[in-house]
Amino acid sequence: MKTKIFSSLLVLCISILGTSCTSDMEYKDVNVTSVQQLYTPKDNVGIELQASATASVFFEWASALAEDGISPQYEVLFDKVGGDFSKPVYSQTSDDMGLRSYATISHKTLDKVAQLAGFGSGEKGSLVWTVRSSRGVVQQRATVVRTLTVTRLLGFTEIPAQLFITGEGSEGGTDVSKALAFASPASGEFTIFTKLEAGKKYHFVSGKDTEARVFYTESGKLKESSTGDGAATVSETVYTELISTSTSLPLLWPRW
């Protein structure tokens, strides 16, 4: 009899422990507040982006609060003017793996953001930005939004591994598989001696596939196309040398 009672009590205890464990292990979402203030950069600030690896912009905002007292994580969101951030063009976690209420964002990253927003190389345009706070799966977007105006970099923001010339004005014509390759004597330097036909368009590509980046010259400056369009022409048929010696200044020019 005692054995039966002991066994029953043991089963009951195990059952209670199991229920308690399940209750303790139950996950609950932790609420987090939205950011109420954006400190810097100020609204409608204009920034001319620089190619320097150390050039950056400091973003800072008021801290959010999490229900469990643990610091929330943050992301800076960028979108086109008029966008609602439901599908931001770019996001970056804040400093210290998202734990800080500030973010140091490089000029080169902002140039990439502007490109994703549809601004051409060297163009000036406006973006909107805000901050998203999160704690686990719960996310809250800031109640405030600011506008940032940037002037994109000229030339190669990211140096391509290869460069080719193509288009009806080039020797290879419009068939990109026949595009002529530039020589690259050093990193960021490209050179080619080639024929250009008068009045016919030509441009430059980073590869011979549909994913290749497209570049063109305008007023002696190299620009990267955000749409895949853009081309240059010459006024007379020439054999010329095209040279790139920089990643941010006017890059390619003919030498007769």
Side-chain angles (χ1 to χ4, degrees):
M1 183 69 177
K2 290 182 178 180
T3 303
K4 288 183 179 180
I5 294 172
F6 179 77
S7 298
S8 298
L9 289 173
L10 182 61
V11 170
L12 180 61
C13 288
I14 291 173
S15 176
I16 292 171
L17 285 171
T19 303
S20 176
C21 183
T22 302
S23 176
D24 292 341
M25 293 285 287
E26 184 180 353
Y27 177 80
K28 293 182 179 180
D29 292 336
V30 177
N31 290 324
V32 64
T33 64
S34 60
V35 169
Q36 300 296 309
Q37 288 182 287
L38 304 179
Y39 295 146
T40 188
K42 299 296 185 183
D43 199 23
N44 292 311
V45 157
I47 300 171
E48 188 166 344
L49 301 177
Q50 306 295 323
S52 169
T54 59
S56 62
V57 178
F58 187 70
F59 291 74
E60 188 177 17
W61 51 89
S63 298
L65 298 174
E67 190 176 37
D68 60 358
I70 296 176
S71 297
Q73 290 189 303
Y74 303 96
E75 290 177 279
V76 183
L77 308 179
F78 295 93
D79 210 341
K80 299 177 182 179
V81 172
D84 63 1
F85 300 99
S86 58
K87 293 182 179 179
V89 296
Y90 191 83
S91 65
Q92 178 167 319
T93 55
S94 67
D95 289 2
D96 197 12
M97 299 180 70
L99 295 176
R100 302 298 182 185
S101 59
Y102 54 82
T104 307
I105 302 180
S106 71
H107 279 208
K108 287 191 175 183
T109 295
L110 290 174
D111 189 70
K112 179 180 179 180
V113 175
Q115 181 186 20
L116 292 171
F119 307 157
S121 180
E123 289 183 355
K124 182 178 181 178
S126 294
L127 302 160
V128 288
W129 68 277
T130 192
V131 175
R132 181 165 59 201
S133 52
S134 63
R135 182 73 183 91
V137 297
V138 178
Q139 298 180 336
Q140 297 287 352
R141 226 168 29 236
T143 58
V144 285
V145 174
R146 283 192 175 169
T147 301
L148 180 69
T149 300
V150 298
T151 302
R152 281 200 64 200
L153 297 168
L154 288 167
F156 301 130
T157 306
E158 296 180 9
I159 301 171
Q162 294 178 292
L163 192 67
F164 302 85
I165 184 169
T166 188
E168 62 176 347
S170 70
E171 291 185 75
T174 57
D175 184 352
V176 73
S177 68
K178 297 180 180 178
L180 300 181
F182 280 71
S184 182
S187 177
E189 295 184 14
F190 298 95
T191 180
I192 190 173
F193 187 83
T194 190
K195 179 183 178 181
L196 299 175
E197 292 196 35
K200 295 183 179 182
K201 296 179 179 180
Y202 66 93
H203 60 276
F204 314 100
V205 291
S206 61
K208 297 184 179 183
D209 55 71
T210 56
E211 301 300 319
R213 296 158 64 195
V214 176
F215 306 90
Y216 64 100
T217 53
E218 183 177 271
S219 301
K221 297 179 180 181
L222 182 73
K223 295 186 174 184
E224 182 171 356
S225 173
S226 59
T227 61
D229 300 322
T233 60
V234 291
S235 57
E236 57 181 296
T237 299
V238 291
Y239 281 91
T240 182
E241 186 179 13
L242 298 171
I243 300 175
S244 159
T245 57
S246 171
T247 60
S248 60
L249 300 174
L251 295 179
L252 299 172
W253 60 91
R255 291 188 175 181
W256 287 269

